[in-house]
Amino acid sequence: MKMKNVIVIGLMALCAIPLKAQDQQPTPADSLPFDLQKNAFIYTTATRYSDPIVARMALYNILAYNPANIAVLDSLALSYIDYQQWPSAVLASQDALKVNPDDALAMEIAAVAYENLGLTDRALPHYESLYLKNEDVNTLYKIAFLQFNLKRYTEAATSADILMNDSKTLDQKLVFQKNQQENQEVPMIAAIHRLKGMIEADKGNVDEAKVHYTKALEVAPDFAVVKLQLEELNKG
C-alpha cells in the first residue's frame, strides 16, 4: 500500500512544538530545552543512519514534552508500519486520531494495520473515513474489496459501480500476482470487472459472474487470475 502525504520531520519541525498545553503558540527553536533539541538531532541522525530503534526512542523522548503532538504520533505509527509491528501501529495511530480525528495519515495507518491483523471489520471504517477526505479511487477500490470480504455484497457492488463511473479510474493500474515468480499490472477497470464477477459468483449467479470476468479479459487479455477464475466457473 502506498502511503499518501507521508510526514518527513526535520529538526525544526520536531522542535517547534508548544511546551505548555495552555499556550498553543510554537516555541522558537533557539529557546527550546537542550534535551528536546538533542532528541530531535538524535532522531534525524538515527533516521539517516537507518537505526529505527534509536530513532523511535528519540521520538518517545520528544513526545514526553507534548503527548498530543500529531507529527510525532504519526511518525511513531509510520515507524511501526515500516517494521510490520501492526498492534503498535494501531495504538499510535489511534492516539493520533484522538487528538485530531481528521488526521488522514493516521486513518490510513490504522486501516492498513487493522487489515494486516486480519481485522477487516475494523479496517473498513478507517478506509471509509479516509475516502471521504481524499476521494481517491484506490482507496475506494480497497473499500469495495473489503466490503466483499465481509459479504456486504450490495455495498461492494455499489462501490464498484461508483468506481466504474469515475473518470479517474481510467488512468489507474493495479498489480496482481501472475504466477509464483512475477506480478502483472492491469488497468483498474479490469480489476473492477473481476471484483463484480467475484461478487456475483459468491452469490451463486454464475452467468453474471462469467459476463464480468469476460469483460475483465476484454480489457486485460492476459489477466492471469481472472483466466483461472473463469476456467473454474466453466468447469462447474
Side-chain angles (χ1 to χ4, degrees), residues 101-133:
D102 292 326
D103 183 351
L105 180 57
M107 291 176 193
E108 189 171 8
I109 292 171
V112 171
Y114 274 129
E115 186 180 0
N116 278 278
L117 286 169
L119 300 174
T120 304
D121 57 330
R122 295 192 180 185
L124 181 56
H126 289 289
Y127 278 121
E128 290 172 334
S129 297
L130 181 63
Y131 179 68
L132 291 176
K133 292 187 68 65

Side-chain angles (χ1 to χ4, degrees), residues 115-208:
E115 186 180 0
N116 278 278
L117 286 169
L119 300 174
T120 304
D121 57 330
R122 295 192 180 185
L124 181 56
H126 289 289
Y127 278 121
E128 290 172 334
S129 297
L130 181 63
Y131 179 68
L132 291 176
K133 292 187 68 65
N134 66 15
E135 296 183 347
D136 182 78
V137 291
N138 292 286
T139 303
L140 184 55
Y141 178 81
K142 172 66 72 173
I143 288 170
F145 218 92
L146 293 184
Q147 289 169 333
F148 164 73
N149 287 337
L150 290 169
K151 301 188 182 300
R152 291 159 58 170
Y153 300 126
T154 301
E155 294 175 40
T158 298
S159 296
D161 288 337
I162 293 172
L163 284 168
M164 283 285 189
N165 294 310
D166 192 324
S167 60
K168 296 191 293 293
T169 301
L170 298 174
D171 300 324
Q172 300 296 315
K173 292 183 181 294
L174 297 174
V175 176
F176 290 83
Q177 186 173 0
K178 185 174 183 178
N179 51 50
Q180 291 184 342
Q181 287 76 39
E182 61 182 324
N183 295 327
Q184 64 179 154
E185 193 176 63
V186 301
M188 181 179 280
I189 289 294
I192 297 167
H193 278 301
R194 177 202 176 220
L195 175 58
K196 290 173 73 71
M198 292 170 66
I199 294 170
E200 296 302 333
D202 229 36
K203 292 165 62 178
N205 301 326
V206 175
D207 290 338
E208 289 87 346

